């Protein structure tokens, strides 16, 4: 039995504005992985893996080569392979929905959710 993921924490109103996010589903396709992400495979949930690099497989277009920290051999996954994200740190640039001002902020998509819209503190 799989435990349900922890829902994202509510986003607080910051001095830079108000950010609306949408929580991630429990699993995502492997194509969503980027460097520094931490994930597990659904069948090995007690074994977290940290991504060092992700690149397209040179011979198979429907596969990815995922280099992992602490291992010498890359992991090969189908692009649609479901993975369970544990941490997905991102720097996101957002535009205010009312005045088009921009901001860049650091988020962990697993903890905070995917950004959907942002309104700056002037509104």
């Amino acid at each position: 039995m799989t435990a349900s993921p922890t829902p994202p924490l509510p986003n607080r109103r910051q001095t830079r504005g108000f950010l609306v996010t949408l929580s991630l589903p429990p699993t995502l396709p492997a194509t969503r992985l980027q460097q520094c992400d931490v994930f597990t495979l659904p069948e090995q949930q007690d074994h977290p893996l940290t991504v060092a690099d992700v690149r397209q497989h040179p011979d198979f277009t429907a596969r990815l080569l995922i280099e992992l920290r602490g291992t010498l051999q890359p992991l090969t996954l189908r692009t649609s392979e479901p993975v369970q994200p544990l941490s997905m740190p991102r720097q996101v640039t957002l535009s205010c929905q009312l005045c088009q001002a921009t901001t860049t902020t650091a988020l962990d998509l697993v903890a905070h959710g995917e950004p959907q819209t942002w309104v700056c503190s002037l509104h």
Side-chain angles (χ1 to χ4, degrees), residues 46-67:
D46 59 339
H47 192 292
L49 306 166
T50 303
V51 177
D53 191 28
V54 177
R55 63 183 190 275
Q56 190 70 45
H57 194 287
D59 300 323
F60 304 106
T61 57
R63 302 224 182 249
L64 298 171
L65 288 175
I66 302 173
E67 295 194 28

Side-chain angles (χ1 to χ4, degrees), residues 22-92:
L22 185 63
S23 56
L24 292 177
T27 61
L28 297 170
T31 55
R32 295 284 307 268
L33 294 174
Q34 294 181 13
Q35 187 177 21
C36 298
D37 287 353
V38 179
F39 71 99
T40 63
L41 298 172
E43 62 275 5
Q44 295 179 336
Q45 293 182 358
D46 59 339
H47 192 292
L49 306 166
T50 303
V51 177
D53 191 28
V54 177
R55 63 183 190 275
Q56 190 70 45
H57 194 287
D59 300 323
F60 304 106
T61 57
R63 302 224 182 249
L64 298 171
L65 288 175
I66 302 173
E67 295 194 28
L68 302 170
R69 288 190 186 155
T71 64
L72 298 176
Q73 292 296 326
L75 178 65
T76 302
L77 293 176
R78 293 186 325 269
T79 55
S80 61
E81 183 88 25
V83 297
Q84 183 175 3
L86 301 177
S87 175
M88 297 178 79
R90 301 287 189 272
Q91 284 285 105
V92 293

Side-chain angles (χ1 to χ4, degrees), residues 10-33:
N11 289 299
R12 61 192 182 282
R13 188 161 181 92
Q14 300 174 351
T15 57
R16 293 185 296 182
F18 187 76
L19 177 63
V20 176
T21 63
L22 185 63
S23 56
L24 292 177
T27 61
L28 297 170
T31 55
R32 295 284 307 268
L33 294 174

Side-chain angles (χ1 to χ4, degrees), residues 108-121:
D108 182 340
L109 300 184
V110 175
H112 303 112
E114 286 190 274
Q116 300 297 303
T117 190
W118 175 68
V119 176
C120 74
S121 60

